[in-house]
């Protein structure tokens, strides 16, 4: 009996259970503890220091999640069934993009945030890939540009050409990167009010991978810089403005790359791969800065992301298939700062990080919950906060940037959970009594303005994100149109072999412009012919209907 009493009253944890975290400062508490042998009187005096030891102070302790009502969900969506561990969803303050099942190639939906309810099967899609789409990513500097990667080995980007006014490119929209199973990726520009016709022609197709492209990631601070990674174990960094591959890291990974993450200013990337290594790479110097073998010893996929302070956070599996999370310091990757085992589920943990609040949300594919943790510089460094649980498992997850949240409701995160046939927003809030702007919840956050141009970054410059205040809410500005000026491939010889010839240089520029003008003219003529054919067909149809009406009237 004494043993059990001593264990219950040990100094490490009595208050958590006696008071449930509700200790008051500068008070005396007295308890009578009866045993078979004698009586003990326990007197506990608490102060603020004791409070800190008992319950860690954090403004995010009471964060809670809540799913929206059914009429605010996106229903009747055929979410992709492709076996690939990506999130299948990308979100920004204007649109939500979802990879869907499509016959004859790859496609994804782009819906304005306000278009909730049932989505008609005939709703326009972005469908330029010849293989299933594997990954999509919105440009952080243009809410209407998206990139995609696919099994067809390509990366694609699409944009509206306002000079031509063609239907394939709607006016002034957002850009997104999409990855497909066709080994290339494409970049697309979405109309400001969403799609009215399906998009089949991207702004630019980026070809360079020999196998399917499974990862795309925009640079956080430099305009038009895009990273892609494929199953050929290569990472390529592109200047989207010219369509050129300027950095090719094809000899640093011996096995498939699971994910790639930029650091805060985009000077480094970290990768997790099938060989169980976590690598930190300087892409411009093409050097490995730090490396950890067997960061997680399990055979299932890992994830690695950069934190705002430069540390690396990883998720993976132990040798016994227990899911783990770990925190690493780049200066010493031999041992983790923190390592925690969670459970034995087999779903890959997808981490979503908020650098403003230092909260990490872990969403397991196939799970029905979202766990969230706070990262601090106090042991044990990774502090569990809470879990949002629901009934249905998640097929994928989208994460809203901070500038898309409702600051009036103390919303600190918003997720878009993919079910088998719908997308369900989940809102994370911190309960506050005051209706005033909460400065401590909303420090200045990364805005949509790029800190560098692509050329500056490739020349070696670095810059932190340009921050904006959310005190009066985020008001989207007018996005720049994405313009791609491709260089003449015949002129792209190695720099060492180029000779400066002031006479021939203008001629080359003129020839290139002439070729581009001819290509545009051909596109216009084709479009005019297509419209004329459509008009002729409609005229014939109208004539037949008039004849039928005349017969009926007679």
């Amino acid at each position: 009996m004494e043993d059990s009493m001593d264990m219950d009253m040990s100094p490490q944890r009595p208050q958590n259970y006696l008071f449930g975290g509700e200790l008051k400062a500068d008070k005396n508490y007295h308890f009578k503890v009866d045993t078979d042998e004698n009586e003990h009187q326990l007197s506990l005096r608490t102060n603020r220091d004791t409070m800190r030891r008992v319950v860690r102070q954090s403004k995010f302790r009471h964060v809670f999640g809540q799913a929206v009502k059914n009429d605010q969900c996106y229903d009747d969506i055929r979410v992709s069934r492709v076996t690939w561990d990506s999130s299948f969803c990308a979100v920004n303050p204007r649109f939500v993009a979802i990879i869907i099942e499509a016959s004859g190639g790859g496609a994804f939906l782009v819906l304005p945030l306000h278009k909730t309810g049932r989505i008609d099967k005939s709703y326009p899609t972005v469908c330029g890939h010849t293989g299933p789409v594997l990954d999509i990513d919105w440009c952080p500097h243009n809410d209407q540009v998206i990139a995609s990667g696919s099994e067809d080995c390509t990366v694609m980007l699409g944009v509206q050409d306002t000079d031509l006014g063609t239907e394939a490119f709607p006016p002034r929209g957002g850009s997104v990167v999409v990855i497909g199973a066709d080994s290339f990726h494409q970049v697309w520009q979405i109309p400001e009010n969403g799609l009215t016709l399906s998009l089949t022609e991207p702004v630019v197709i980026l070809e360079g991978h020999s196998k399917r492209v499974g990862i795309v990631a925009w640079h956080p601070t430099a305009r038009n810089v895009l990273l892609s990674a494929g199953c050929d174990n290569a990472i390529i960094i592109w200047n989207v403005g010219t369509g050129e591959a300027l950095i090719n890291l094809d000899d640093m990974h011996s096995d498939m790359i699971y994910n790639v993450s930029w650091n805060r200013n985009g000077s480094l990337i970290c990768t997790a791969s099938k060989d169980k290594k976590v690598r930190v790479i300087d892409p411009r110097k093409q050097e490995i800065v730090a490396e950890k073998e067997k960061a997680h010893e399990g055979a299932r996929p890992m994830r690695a992301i950069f934190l705002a302070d430069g540390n690396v956070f990883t998720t993976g599996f132990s040798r016994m298939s227990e899911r783990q999370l770990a925190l690493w310091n780049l200066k010493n990757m031999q041992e983790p700062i923190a390592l925690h085992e969670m459970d034995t589920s087999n779903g890959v943990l997808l981490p979503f990080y908020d650098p403003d609040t230092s909260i990490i949300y872990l969403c397991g594919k196939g799970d029905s919950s979202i766990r969230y943790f706070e990262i601090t510089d106090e042991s044990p460094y990774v502090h569990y906060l809470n879990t949002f649980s629901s009934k249905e498992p998640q097929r994928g997850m989208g994460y809203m940037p901070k500038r898309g949240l409702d600051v009036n409701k103390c919303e600190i995160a918003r997720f878009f959970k993919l079910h088998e046939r719908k997308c369900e927003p989940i809102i994370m809030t911190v309960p506050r009594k005051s209706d005033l702007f909460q400065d401590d919840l909303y420090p200045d956050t990364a805005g949509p303005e790029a800190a560098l141009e692509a050329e500056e970054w490739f020349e070696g410059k670095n810059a932190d994100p340009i921050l904006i205040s959310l005190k009066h809410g985020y008001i989207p500005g007018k996005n720049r149109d994405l313009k791609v000026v491709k260089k003449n491939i015949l002129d792209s010889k190695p720099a060492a072999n180029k000779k400066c010839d002031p006479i021939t240089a203008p001629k080359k520029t003129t020839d290139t412009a002439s070729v581009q003008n001819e290509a545009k003219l051909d596109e216009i003529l084709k479009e005019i012919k297509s419209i004329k054919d459509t008009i002729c067909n409609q005229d014939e149809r109208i004539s037949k209907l008039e004849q039928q009406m005349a017969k009926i009237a007679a």
Side-chain angles (χ1 to χ4, degrees), residues 299-456:
R300 292 194 51 76
M302 298 189 300
R303 289 292 184 273
I305 60 170
F306 264 113
L307 305 185
D309 59 4
N311 289 335
V312 173
F313 181 89
T314 63
T315 64
F317 293 80
S318 70
R319 190 179 298 174
M320 302 301 293
S321 296
E322 296 171 312
R323 292 199 291 194
Q324 296 178 323
L325 57 88
L327 188 62
W328 307 84
N329 187 331
L330 297 191
K331 296 178 181 177
N332 182 11
M333 297 279 283
Q334 296 304 313
E335 294 293 333
I337 301 172
L339 177 65
H340 299 283
E341 292 182 346
M342 296 177 57
D343 54 32
T344 55
S345 178
N346 60 2
V348 177
L349 287 170
L350 304 178
F352 297 92
Y353 175 59
D354 180 0
D356 302 328
T357 59
S358 295
I359 294 180
I360 284 186
Y361 303 86
L362 298 183
C363 308
K365 295 204 77 172
D367 289 3
S368 56
S369 62
I370 302 172
R371 296 179 177 91
Y372 32 107
F373 301 79
E374 186 177 5
I375 310 295
T376 70
D377 54 4
E378 299 176 358
S379 180
Y381 307 106
V382 181
H383 305 272
Y384 171 76
L385 291 174
N386 210 337
T387 299
F388 167 81
S389 297
S390 58
K391 295 180 181 179
E392 298 294 327
Q394 52 226 18
R395 299 281 297 276
M397 193 72 72
Y399 180 63
M400 174 69 77
K402 203 60 163 291
R403 53 196 173 90
L405 304 180
D406 187 348
V407 298
N408 296 319
K409 295 181 180 178
C410 295
E411 180 184 8
I412 64 166
R414 189 186 310 164
F415 291 91
F416 288 73
K417 175 181 174 179
L418 299 186
H419 298 246
E420 187 175 352
R421 299 281 302 187
K422 77 173 181 178
C423 175
E424 176 186 42
I426 297 170
I427 295 171
M428 301 285 184
T429 56
V430 177
R432 292 284 173 92
K433 292 181 180 179
S434 174
D435 293 332
L436 299 176
F437 178 73
Q438 306 295 316
D439 300 79
D440 60 328
L441 298 183
Y442 301 104
D444 290 353
T445 191
E449 187 61 35
L452 294 171
E453 295 299 327
E455 293 75 15
E456 294 178 299

Side-chain angles (χ1 to χ4, degrees), residues 41 65 112 154 157 205 231 243 245 298 312 355 357 368 370 414 442 446 485 542:
Q41 185 172 5
T154 63
L157 293 92
I205 298 176
C231 291
V312 173
T357 59
S368 56
I370 302 172
R414 189 186 310 164
Y442 301 104
V485 181
I542 290 169

Side-chain angles (χ1 to χ4, degrees), residues 25 56 110 166 204 217 262 264 395 425 435 466:
R56 189 183 66 87
V110 176
T166 62
V204 62
W262 293 95
R264 180 77 165 162
R395 299 281 297 276
D435 293 332
I466 297 175

Side-chain angles (χ1 to χ4, degrees), residues 178-196:
V178 181
I179 295 177
D182 40 16
S183 320
F184 62 92
H185 44 297
Q186 306 172 345
V187 176
W188 313 80
Q189 183 152 334
I190 308 301
E192 189 169 359
N193 297 317
L195 297 175
T196 55

Side-chain angles (χ1 to χ4, degrees), residues 474-492:
Y474 170 67
I475 302 173
K478 181 179 177 181
N479 290 306
R480 276 198 205 179
D481 284 339
L482 174 60
K483 294 182 179 178
V484 179
V485 181
K486 287 195 174 183
K487 294 185 178 179
N488 192 334
I489 297 174
L490 299 176
D491 294 338
S492 58

Side-chain angles (χ1 to χ4, degrees), residues 456-470:
E456 294 178 299
W457 185 81
F458 283 110
E459 289 170 2
K461 292 184 180 179
N462 294 320
D464 289 332
I466 297 175
L467 304 181
I468 60 172
S469 172
L470 298 178

